[in-house]
Amino acid sequence: MTTIQFPADFLWGASTAAHQIEGNNLNSDWWQREVEPGSRLAERSGDAADSYHRYRDDIDMLAASGLRSYRFSVEWARIEPERGMVSRAELAHYRRMIQYCLDAGVTPLVTLHHFTNPRWFVRDGGWLDPGAPDLFARYVETVLPILDGVSHVFTINEPNILAMMIGGEKGEEQLQAGALPAPDPVATEHLIAAHRRAVDLVRTTGIPVGWPVAPQQFFADPGAEEVLRAYAHPRETVFLEAARGDDFVAVQAYTRTRITLDGPQPAPEGAEVTLTGWEYYPPAIAEAARLGHEITGLPVLVSENGIATADDARRIDYTRDALRHLHEAMEEGTPILGYLHWSLLDNYEWGSFRPTFGLASWSPETFERLPKPSLAWLGGVARDGRLDVD
Ligand code: BGC
């Protein structure tokens, strides 16, 4: 058994996103998509984990485990439920969350946009509309006054995945197994413009700002390097390049994707796959961190990494190995600021509650929080920054 030591100022925590845990996010485009007749989504988010009301339980649970940082998102659809109409009460709600973290000795990190949009924004053209960056910037300005005490701000979560979701919504493409939709190029341009606007605005507060990109750890068969480059460029490279000049780059990774001359391939026959159907591949996050640093030259913050599994012991295996690889990357010179696990809670995985990523589950009847052994394990690692590996 070997023990590895992380730096004393390494940031240890867990992440969540509003729509996936709060419940009843009625004014968001995802809620609308879930309830519309003929919705193709298997489940609705409904009450989710009711974290809108139970955030204190969540923060207390995180703090009790030994973790010291909590990344959560503020919900644009609550703060601006109709175009130009700001809810002071919802701003006060998120301020209370930030304050509750600070009072509990937990460092809050805030995401301004995590996949969901207000319904009115989508009605008026969404990310395809040239006015989108202005509308986002106006919302960001509204949020700035509540951010006091926040350690890091993330502008738009996984803009690369969001641009692919928007591209995929057109439904024109026939996707081969293992392939990701082509990102919409107009949405890409507007997301990058919105990010730049948000960075300038957040900088007026002095809080470090960046955005979390989700690289897919593409690896090429011999001869398929050019196929890889062309496939990866619109799906991740441009978004990492757009982070140059930020205060840090955040990365989120779960698995890898093989690229052959025929393009991307699904997880190989016989490979261990998780509840999302992704190949079990713990080195993913270290590879993502190296790539993020190589492209941007910035320090890297791991803002998500985890595994959808019903076997909590496997979650610990995965996380231990992911951390070991991250530590190696740090020793080789990649500056890594911290590790935020996805996710604190089992949550609404964009259409289904079945892929359980949580360090804790909850009772669907009472919403009582039920920490899993992995939460105490990760909190224990966080307490002294020491990790036992084989
Ligand atoms: C997202 C999360 C999601 C997780 C697992 C990331 O793509 O930011 O919202 O639940 O990965 O799929």
Side-chain angles (χ1 to χ4, degrees), residues 161-185:
I161 303 293
L162 185 55
M164 287 188 250
M165 286 179 182
I166 298 169
E169 274 161 24
K170 290 191 195 146
E172 287 156 7
E173 254 183 321
Q174 264 306 338
L175 289 180
Q176 68 184 62
L180 295 163
D184 185 283

Side-chain angles (χ1 to χ4, degrees), residues 189-236:
E189 187 189 319
H190 294 159
L191 287 164
I192 291 174
H195 172 61
R196 296 264 49 100
R197 297 279 301 277
V199 167
D200 289 345
L201 288 166
V202 174
R203 283 221 167 116
T204 63
T205 64
I207 304 171
V209 56
W211 70 354
V213 179
Q216 301 298 311
Q217 293 60 254
F218 297 122
F219 64 106
D221 274 8
E225 293 79 8
E226 186 48 34
V227 179
L228 183 155
R229 202 204 57 77
Y231 188 73
H233 191 264
R235 288 177 177 77
E236 60 189 42

Side-chain angles (χ1 to χ4, degrees), residues 8 56 69 72 77 92 96 145 178 187 201 206 212 229 247 267 335 352 361 365:
R56 294 177 190 84
S69 308
F72 59 92
R96 279 195 294 275
L201 288 166
R229 202 204 57 77
D247 297 314
S352 167
S361 62
E365 280 86 38

